[in-house]
Amino acid sequence: MNAREIKLQSIEDRYNEINDLLGKEEVASDPKMVTKLSKEEASLKEAYDAYQHYKKIKSDIAEAKELTESDDQEIKEMALMELEEKTAELEKLEAKIEEILLPKDPEDEYDCIVEIRGAAGGDEGNIFAGDLYRMYVKYAENNGFKTQVMESSESEAGGFALISFLVKGHNAYQHFKFESGAHRVQRVPKTETQGRIHTSTATVLVLPDVEEADIEIPDSDLEIETHRASGAGGQHINKTDSAVRIVHKPTGITVNCQDGRSQMANRETALKIIRARVYEEMARQKAEKEGAIRRSKIGTGDRSEKIRTYNYPQNRVSDHRIGLTITQLDRIMDGRLDDVINALLENEKKEKLLHENVQSIAA
C-alpha cells in the first residue's frame, strides 16, 4: 500500500467502526453520542465512497492486464481498450481523492454567527453595515440557509452600529468564513450635497456557532443580568426585564441581547454568542502562544484588515486578498456573491494542495 491507500484504508476502518457503534444499544440511547458519531460518519463518507470506487477500478485494471496476455486476439484488444479507459479513470479519481484528503477545517460544517459593525465614516459606515447585512441575508437565502437576528443596535441615520445574526445550514461557516475583515465602500453618501465621493468602512466578524461540547465555560466565569430592553422592538419593549446582558469575566467579552420575545430566548441567544466569541478568543490566544496560524485561511480575519472594496461609481467590487475584480457590484449587493465566495474557496484549496506537496517533498 502507498501512503494514499494507507490513509484511505484507515478512513474505511473508522467509517465501518462508526457504523458498528451506531448499531449498539448503549450508543443509540445517547443522543449526544449519536449526533457526534453521525457527524463524523458524514465527514468521512465522501472519502469512503471514493475509496470503494478506487478499489473497484484497481481490480478492473488488474483483470484487464491479465486478459492482455490472452492468446485470443479479440479478447486481447478489448482488454487493452478496457485498460486504457480504466487507467484514465483512475488518474481522474486519484486527483479527486487528493483533494478529498486535504486537511479540512472542522469548523466548516458549523452554523455561523456574522457580526457587522459600522466603522469609519460615521453615519455612512452604519448605513453600509446595513447594506452588507441585507447582502448576506440574500446570499444566505439563495443558498438555502436560514438567518436569525441575534443582537442589533440600529443607527438613527439608517443601517446599524452593530448587527449580529445566525446563519443556519450545512457548511454555513465554510461559505461565510472569509468575510471577516474590513469592508470599504466608495460612493456619494445621501447626506453629501456637493456630490463628492466618500470612503467609509464596516467591519465583519464571522464566528463558528460552536456547541457546548466544543468549549466548557464554568458558570462562575459568567456574570448574567437582566434589564429592560430599549429602542424599537414592538409593544413588549420596556415593559419587562426581557433583555439579557452576559459578561465573560476572564476576557471581559460582553453580550447584550434584547431582540428575542422573552428573557429565556434572549438568554439562550446571549449564551450562544458568548460561546462563539470566547471560543474564538481562546483559539487566537493559543495561536499567538504557539506562534502559529490558527487555521488555513486567507488573511488573518482581523477586523482591521481591509479585504474588499465596493466602488459604486464604477459598479466594481475588488477582493484584495486574491486580486479578484468584478464589475457587477449591483449583483453582488443583491446577494449574488457566489463568484466571490467560490474564488476564495478555490484559492484555499490551491494553497492547501501546495502546502501538502511541500510537506511530502520535505518528508
Side-chain angles (χ1 to χ4, degrees):
M1 276 191 172
N2 57 36
R4 181 196 295 120
E5 290 171 343
I6 291 170
K7 195 168 185 178
L8 288 167
Q9 185 60 55
S10 68
I11 288 171
E12 181 185 64
D13 293 343
R14 178 57 181 163
Y15 187 87
N16 291 332
E17 183 185 6
I18 292 171
N19 266 322
D20 292 340
L21 287 169
L22 287 170
K24 293 184 176 179
E25 189 176 341
E26 61 268 28
V27 173
S29 60
D30 184 345
K32 284 189 177 179
M33 183 59 71
V34 169
T35 300
K36 183 181 178 182
L37 289 173
S38 296
K39 279 188 175 181
E40 186 182 355
E41 182 184 45
S43 71
L44 297 175
K45 190 173 190 317
E46 187 179 17
Y48 173 83
D49 289 343
Y51 188 39
Q52 305 317 301
H53 189 194
Y54 176 85
K55 288 191 291 185
K56 176 67 170 62
I57 294 176
K58 291 278 281 188
S59 174
D60 291 343
I61 287 174
E63 288 181 14
K65 281 183 177 178
E66 281 187 21
L67 290 174
T68 58
E69 303 298 324
S70 173
D71 294 332
D72 188 313
Q73 189 61 30
E74 188 175 344
I75 291 176
K76 187 175 182 178
E77 287 177 5
M78 288 179 65
L80 287 168
M81 288 176 60
E82 175 81 0
L83 185 61
E84 186 178 350
E85 288 176 8
K86 292 297 178 181
T87 301
E89 189 177 350
L90 181 64
E91 286 178 4
K92 287 182 181 178
L93 182 58
E94 285 176 334
K96 181 184 176 183
I97 287 173
E98 189 176 2
E99 290 183 12
I100 291 172
L101 293 179
L102 286 174
K104 289 182 175 61
D105 186 340
E107 297 164 358
D108 278 354
E109 297 178 2
Y110 283 36
D111 297 337
C112 66
I113 296 169
V114 182
E115 180 183 290
I116 309 171
R117 293 178 185 268
D123 288 342
E124 175 63 10
N126 293 339
I127 291 168
F128 182 51
D131 294 336
L132 289 177
Y133 166 65
R134 285 182 287 276
M135 175 185 77
Y136 288 136
V137 168
K138 288 180 180 178
Y139 173 70
E141 289 173 351
N142 292 342
N143 285 275
F145 300 134
K146 293 183 179 179
T147 59
Q148 173 192 333
V149 173
M150 305 179 78
E151 186 183 10
S152 67
S153 176
E154 294 183 11
S155 168
E156 289 184 8
F160 300 93
L162 159 70
I163 183 161
S164 294
F165 60 99
L166 177 67
V167 184
K168 299 188 71 172
H170 181 60
N171 286 352
Y173 181 72
Q174 182 186 40
H175 283 74
F176 280 85
K177 65 181 178 180
F178 294 127
E179 294 306 295
S180 289
H183 295 243
R184 183 175 68 173
V185 62
Q186 295 174 325
R187 64 185 177 188
V188 179
K190 293 176 183 176
T191 53
E192 170 60 52
T193 57
Q194 298 182 31
R196 290 174 298 186
I197 295 173
H198 287 228
T199 298
S200 306
T201 59
T203 61
V204 176
L205 179 64
V206 182
L207 305 169
D209 179 26
V210 295
E211 299 169 1
E212 287 184 56
D214 296 313
I215 180 170
E216 186 177 343
I217 303 177
D219 291 341
S220 58
D221 283 355
L222 300 177
E223 183 179 297
I224 303 175
E225 61 180 44
T226 59
H227 61 96
R228 295 196 174 184
S230 60
Q235 293 182 356
H236 70 290
I237 222 78
N238 285 325
K239 290 187 177 180
T240 61
D241 291 344
S242 61
V244 175
R245 181 183 295 110
I246 300 180
V247 179
H248 182 250
K249 290 183 282 188
T251 61
I253 293 171
T254 302
V255 173
N256 185 70
C257 290
Q258 64 176 40
D259 292 297
R261 305 298 291 187
S262 69
Q263 186 185 116
M264 186 179 294
N266 284 323
R267 181 187 174 96
E268 185 179 331
T269 298
L271 284 170
K272 186 182 281 285
I273 297 174
I274 278 286
R275 274 201 306 270
R277 290 185 184 171
V278 173
Y279 179 87
E280 185 78 358
E281 176 60 19
M282 287 181 172
R284 185 192 66 77
Q285 289 179 7
K286 182 182 178 184
E288 281 187 0
K289 189 175 180 181
E290 295 175 351
I293 296 173
R294 186 176 72 260
R295 62 171 67 89
S296 175
K297 62 189 294 184
I298 299 167
T300 64
D302 190 274
R303 285 188 188 277
S304 63
E305 181 189 11
K306 183 184 72 179
I307 64 166
R308 197 174 296 149
T309 295
Y310 304 73
N311 186 304
Y312 275 72
Q314 298 180 20
N315 195 36
R316 184 184 73 225
V317 61
S318 300
D319 195 289
H320 306 297
R321 296 163 295 180
I322 55 174
L324 175 70
T325 295
I326 297 175
T327 52
Q328 293 180 320
L329 176 58
D330 50 342
R331 292 180 72 255
I332 298 294
M333 298 310 295
D334 194 41
R336 286 176 277 185
L337 269 166
D338 296 276
D339 288 346
V340 178
I341 301 298
N342 290 340
L344 288 163
L345 288 170
E346 185 62 30
N347 191 78
E348 177 191 42
K349 186 169 69 178
K350 287 178 181 176
E351 287 186 349
K352 284 182 177 179
L353 279 169
L354 179 62
H355 178 73
E356 287 295 297
N357 290 335
V358 169
Q359 291 290 95
S360 40
I361 290 170

